[in-house]
Amino acid sequence: MRQAAHAGERDLIFLDESGFAPTMPTGYTWSRIGQRAVVPKEDTRNRRVNVLGAKVLGSEPDLVWQSTSGKIDAEILLDFVCSRLAGLGGGAAVLDLAADGLGVDIMPVWERRRPCTVVLDNTSAHRANAFKSRRRQLAKTGVELFCLPPYSPELNDIELVWRQAKYEDYPQRSQTSTDSLGEAVDQAMTQRRNRIRGSAKNFTQAA
Protein backbone atom coordinates (compact mmCIF):
# COMPACT_ATOMS: atom_id res chain seq x y z
CA MET A 1 0.00 0.00 0.00
CA ARG A 2 2.87 2.36 0.72
CA GLN A 3 4.44 1.62 -2.65
CA ALA A 4 1.15 2.29 -4.43
CA ALA A 5 0.78 5.56 -2.51
CA HIS A 6 4.26 6.81 -3.38
CA ALA A 7 3.67 5.81 -7.01
CA GLY A 8 0.57 8.01 -7.08
CA GLU A 9 -1.77 5.08 -7.71
CA ARG A 10 -3.80 5.64 -4.55
CA ASP A 11 -3.70 7.55 -1.26
CA LEU A 12 -2.82 5.86 2.02
CA ILE A 13 -4.53 7.61 4.93
CA PHE A 14 -3.76 6.97 8.61
CA LEU A 15 -6.69 7.97 10.84
CA ASP A 16 -6.88 8.24 14.61
CA GLU A 17 -8.16 10.37 17.51
CA SER A 18 -6.25 12.16 20.23
CA GLY A 19 -7.09 14.43 23.16
CA PHE A 20 -5.61 17.76 24.19
CA ALA A 21 -5.92 18.90 27.81
CA PRO A 22 -5.81 22.50 29.19
CA THR A 23 -2.39 21.70 30.64
CA MET A 24 -0.19 19.59 28.36
CA PRO A 25 2.76 17.50 29.64
CA THR A 26 6.09 19.32 29.56
CA GLY A 27 8.75 17.36 27.73
CA TYR A 28 11.57 19.76 28.57
CA THR A 29 12.09 23.37 29.63
CA TRP A 30 14.78 25.69 30.92
CA SER A 31 15.19 28.26 33.69
CA ARG A 32 17.86 30.50 35.13
CA ILE A 33 20.30 28.97 37.57
CA GLY A 34 18.75 28.86 41.01
CA GLN A 35 15.21 29.39 39.73
CA ARG A 36 12.58 26.70 39.38
CA ALA A 37 10.55 26.56 36.18
CA VAL A 38 6.81 26.61 36.91
CA VAL A 39 4.06 25.59 34.49
CA PRO A 40 0.54 26.57 35.65
CA LYS A 41 -1.88 23.63 35.91
CA GLU A 42 -5.44 24.26 34.73
CA ASP A 43 -8.61 22.43 35.73
CA THR A 44 -9.29 19.66 33.19
CA ARG A 45 -12.98 19.01 33.94
CA ASN A 46 -15.11 19.30 30.79
CA ARG A 47 -12.39 21.30 29.04
CA ARG A 48 -10.69 18.66 26.95
CA VAL A 49 -10.54 19.07 23.14
CA ASN A 50 -10.66 15.86 21.13
CA VAL A 51 -9.23 15.79 17.61
CA LEU A 52 -10.02 13.42 14.77
CA GLY A 53 -7.12 13.51 12.33
CA ALA A 54 -5.97 11.88 9.12
CA LYS A 55 -2.44 11.87 7.70
CA VAL A 56 -2.45 11.42 3.93
CA LEU A 57 0.45 9.65 2.19
CA GLY A 58 0.75 9.79 -1.56
CA SER A 59 1.64 12.16 -4.37
CA GLU A 60 -0.06 14.97 -2.42
CA PRO A 61 0.76 14.43 1.30
CA ASP A 62 -1.54 16.27 3.66
CA LEU A 63 -3.03 16.44 7.15
CA VAL A 64 -6.72 17.02 7.80
CA TRP A 65 -8.48 17.20 11.15
CA GLN A 66 -11.64 18.08 13.01
CA SER A 67 -11.82 19.07 16.67
CA THR A 68 -14.66 18.91 19.17
CA SER A 69 -15.16 19.40 22.89
CA GLY A 70 -17.37 16.31 22.97
CA LYS A 71 -16.86 12.62 22.36
CA ILE A 72 -15.88 11.35 18.92
CA ASP A 73 -18.40 8.62 18.16
CA ALA A 74 -19.16 6.49 15.09
CA GLU A 75 -21.50 9.13 13.63
CA ILE A 76 -18.85 11.87 13.76
CA LEU A 77 -16.24 9.45 12.40
CA LEU A 78 -18.44 8.43 9.45
CA ASP A 79 -19.25 12.02 8.53
CA PHE A 80 -15.55 12.96 8.70
CA VAL A 81 -14.58 10.09 6.39
CA CYS A 82 -17.39 10.93 3.96
CA SER A 83 -16.90 14.69 3.80
CA ARG A 84 -13.15 15.14 4.37
CA LEU A 85 -11.71 11.95 2.88
CA ALA A 86 -14.26 10.73 0.32
CA GLY A 87 -15.12 14.28 -0.75
CA LEU A 88 -18.90 13.90 -0.49
CA GLY A 89 -20.33 17.41 -0.30
CA GLY A 90 -23.23 16.39 1.91
CA GLY A 91 -21.18 14.10 4.13
CA ALA A 92 -22.67 10.87 5.45
CA ALA A 93 -26.18 12.10 4.64
CA VAL A 94 -25.63 11.49 0.91
CA LEU A 95 -23.55 8.33 1.20
CA ASP A 96 -26.38 6.08 -0.02
CA LEU A 97 -27.01 8.28 -3.06
CA ALA A 98 -23.34 8.66 -3.91
CA ALA A 99 -22.62 4.95 -3.63
CA ASP A 100 -25.74 3.44 -5.20
CA GLY A 101 -27.10 6.28 -7.36
CA LEU A 102 -30.65 7.09 -8.40
CA GLY A 103 -30.07 6.44 -12.08
CA VAL A 104 -27.47 7.84 -14.45
CA ASP A 105 -29.53 10.91 -15.32
CA ILE A 106 -30.19 11.87 -11.70
CA MET A 107 -27.23 10.89 -9.53
CA PRO A 108 -24.23 9.18 -11.15
CA VAL A 109 -22.10 6.93 -8.95
CA TRP A 110 -19.60 9.10 -7.07
CA GLU A 111 -16.00 7.98 -7.17
CA ARG A 112 -12.97 9.60 -5.53
CA ARG A 113 -10.48 11.18 -7.93
CA ARG A 114 -7.84 8.77 -6.65
CA PRO A 115 -8.82 5.70 -4.57
CA CYS A 116 -7.60 5.59 -0.98
CA THR A 117 -7.07 3.16 1.86
CA VAL A 118 -7.96 4.43 5.33
CA VAL A 119 -5.95 2.72 8.07
CA LEU A 120 -7.75 2.41 11.43
CA ASP A 121 -7.04 0.95 14.83
CA ASN A 122 -9.62 -0.94 16.90
CA THR A 123 -11.14 1.74 19.13
CA SER A 124 -14.86 1.53 19.90
CA ALA A 125 -15.96 4.12 17.31
CA HIS A 126 -14.07 2.27 14.57
CA ARG A 127 -15.66 -1.06 15.52
CA ALA A 128 -19.21 0.30 15.93
CA ASN A 129 -21.79 -1.14 13.55
CA ALA A 130 -22.92 2.37 12.56
CA PHE A 131 -19.51 2.82 10.95
CA LYS A 132 -18.45 -0.69 9.91
CA SER A 133 -21.77 -1.39 8.19
CA ARG A 134 -20.94 1.36 5.67
CA ARG A 135 -17.79 -0.38 4.45
CA ARG A 136 -19.30 -1.51 1.12
CA GLN A 137 -20.83 1.89 0.37
CA LEU A 138 -17.55 3.64 1.14
CA ALA A 139 -15.72 1.21 -1.15
CA LYS A 140 -17.99 2.27 -4.03
CA THR A 141 -16.88 5.88 -3.52
CA GLY A 142 -13.20 4.89 -3.67
CA VAL A 143 -12.57 4.61 0.11
CA GLU A 144 -11.30 1.27 1.41
CA LEU A 145 -11.04 0.59 5.16
CA PHE A 146 -8.10 -1.35 6.58
CA CYS A 147 -8.02 -2.32 10.27
CA LEU A 148 -4.70 -2.71 12.06
CA PRO A 149 -4.01 -5.67 14.36
CA PRO A 150 -4.85 -5.02 18.03
CA TYR A 151 -2.26 -3.18 20.11
CA SER A 152 -0.10 -2.04 17.21
CA PRO A 153 0.10 1.79 17.43
CA GLU A 154 3.59 1.65 15.89
CA LEU A 155 1.94 0.78 12.55
CA ASN A 156 -0.17 3.93 12.50
CA ASP A 157 1.83 6.85 11.06
CA ILE A 158 -0.39 9.50 12.62
CA GLU A 159 0.84 8.57 16.11
CA LEU A 160 4.04 10.48 15.31
CA VAL A 161 1.94 13.45 14.18
CA TRP A 162 0.20 13.60 17.56
CA ARG A 163 3.50 13.51 19.41
CA GLN A 164 5.04 16.22 17.24
CA ALA A 165 1.95 18.43 17.39
CA LYS A 166 1.83 18.20 21.18
CA TYR A 167 5.53 18.60 21.98
CA GLU A 168 6.97 20.59 19.05
CA ASP A 169 4.15 22.68 17.58
CA TYR A 170 1.91 23.39 20.56
CA PRO A 171 2.35 27.12 21.35
CA GLN A 172 1.93 27.14 25.14
CA ARG A 173 1.68 24.35 27.70
CA SER A 174 -1.35 25.75 29.58
CA GLN A 175 -4.55 27.28 28.25
CA THR A 176 -6.99 29.15 30.48
CA SER A 177 -10.19 28.60 28.48
CA THR A 178 -11.78 26.11 26.12
CA ASP A 179 -11.65 28.67 23.31
CA SER A 180 -7.93 29.29 23.76
CA LEU A 181 -7.34 25.54 23.97
CA GLY A 182 -9.17 25.03 20.66
CA GLU A 183 -7.15 27.82 19.03
CA ALA A 184 -3.88 26.33 20.32
CA VAL A 185 -4.82 22.90 18.95
CA ASP A 186 -5.64 24.34 15.51
CA GLN A 187 -2.38 26.30 15.52
CA ALA A 188 -0.36 23.18 16.35
CA MET A 189 -2.14 21.06 13.73
CA THR A 190 -1.77 23.79 11.11
CA GLN A 191 1.97 24.02 11.72
CA ARG A 192 2.28 20.23 11.49
CA ARG A 193 0.27 20.21 8.23
CA ASN A 194 2.50 22.92 6.77
CA ARG A 195 5.58 20.87 7.68
CA ILE A 196 4.13 17.78 5.98
CA ARG A 197 3.26 19.71 2.83
CA GLY A 198 6.59 21.54 2.89
CA SER A 199 8.62 18.36 3.24
CA ALA A 200 6.92 16.90 0.17
CA LYS A 201 7.51 20.08 -1.82
CA ASN A 202 11.19 20.22 -0.87
CA PHE A 203 11.63 16.54 -1.77
CA THR A 204 10.06 17.11 -5.20
CA GLN A 205 12.28 20.12 -5.88
CA ALA A 206 15.40 18.20 -4.81
CA ALA A 207 14.50 15.33 -7.11
Side-chain angles (χ1 to χ4, degrees), residues 98-176:
D100 299 328
L102 293 174
V104 176
D105 297 332
I106 302 175
M107 176 69 76
V109 174
W110 168 266
E111 191 171 353
R112 200 173 185 270
R113 180 171 62 90
R114 184 168 48 241
C116 72
T117 300
V118 179
V119 180
L120 306 157
D121 60 17
N122 291 275
T123 58
S124 57
H126 302 171
R127 292 184 285 104
N129 187 60
F131 179 72
K132 290 182 65 176
S133 64
R134 300 292 193 143
R135 178 186 293 268
R136 289 186 178 180
Q137 291 171 312
L138 287 170
K140 290 182 179 180
T141 68
V143 178
E144 178 186 75
L145 302 181
F146 179 84
C147 294
L148 292 171
Y151 310 111
S152 56
E154 72 280 359
L155 299 179
N156 197 335
D157 283 20
I158 201 172
E159 293 292 347
L160 178 60
V161 170
W162 297 134
R163 184 161 70 247
Q164 292 170 330
K166 291 180 178 182
Y167 287 96
E168 298 178 21
D169 304 313
Y170 201 72
Q172 187 174 321
R173 304 321 293 169
S174 288
Q175 305 296 329
T176 58

Side-chain angles (χ1 to χ4, degrees), residues 29-200:
T29 187
W30 64 272
S31 65
R32 297 183 181 277
I33 297 177
Q35 295 182 3
R36 176 178 296 178
V38 177
V39 177
K41 182 175 177 59
E42 298 291 331
D43 186 5
T44 61
R45 289 176 295 181
N46 300 319
R47 293 176 55 198
R48 182 184 177 93
V49 169
N50 295 313
V51 181
L52 178 58
K55 181 181 179 182
V56 183
L57 269 65
S59 57
E60 299 176 7
D62 205 354
L63 177 65
V64 295
W65 70 91
Q66 174 182 320
S67 59
T68 177
S69 57
K71 180 181 178 181
I72 296 175
D73 56 17
E75 182 178 349
I76 292 177
L77 173 64
L78 179 62
D79 196 70
F80 178 83
V81 171
C82 290
S83 59
R84 303 299 299 278
L85 304 185
L88 300 178
V94 299
L95 182 60
D96 294 332
L97 302 180
D100 299 328
L102 293 174
V104 176
D105 297 332
I106 302 175
M107 176 69 76
V109 174
W110 168 266
E111 191 171 353
R112 200 173 185 270
R113 180 171 62 90
R114 184 168 48 241
C116 72
T117 300
V118 179
V119 180
L120 306 157
D121 60 17
N122 291 275
T123 58
S124 57
H126 302 171
R127 292 184 285 104
N129 187 60
F131 179 72
K132 290 182 65 176
S133 64
R134 300 292 193 143
R135 178 186 293 268
R136 289 186 178 180
Q137 291 171 312
L138 287 170
K140 290 182 179 180
T141 68
V143 178
E144 178 186 75
L145 302 181
F146 179 84
C147 294
L148 292 171
Y151 310 111
S152 56
E154 72 280 359
L155 299 179
N156 197 335
D157 283 20
I158 201 172
E159 293 292 347
L160 178 60
V161 170
W162 297 134
R163 184 161 70 247
Q164 292 170 330
K166 291 180 178 182
Y167 287 96
E168 298 178 21
D169 304 313
Y170 201 72
Q172 187 174 321
R173 304 321 293 169
S174 288
Q175 305 296 329
T176 58
S177 69
T178 302
D179 288 342
S180 64
L181 174 57
E183 292 174 0
V185 169
D186 282 336
Q187 181 178 336
M189 295 298 288
T190 298
Q191 288 192 15
R192 183 49 41 187
R193 180 190 62 193
N194 292 341
R195 292 176 188 275
I196 290 174
R197 291 178 175 178
S199 296

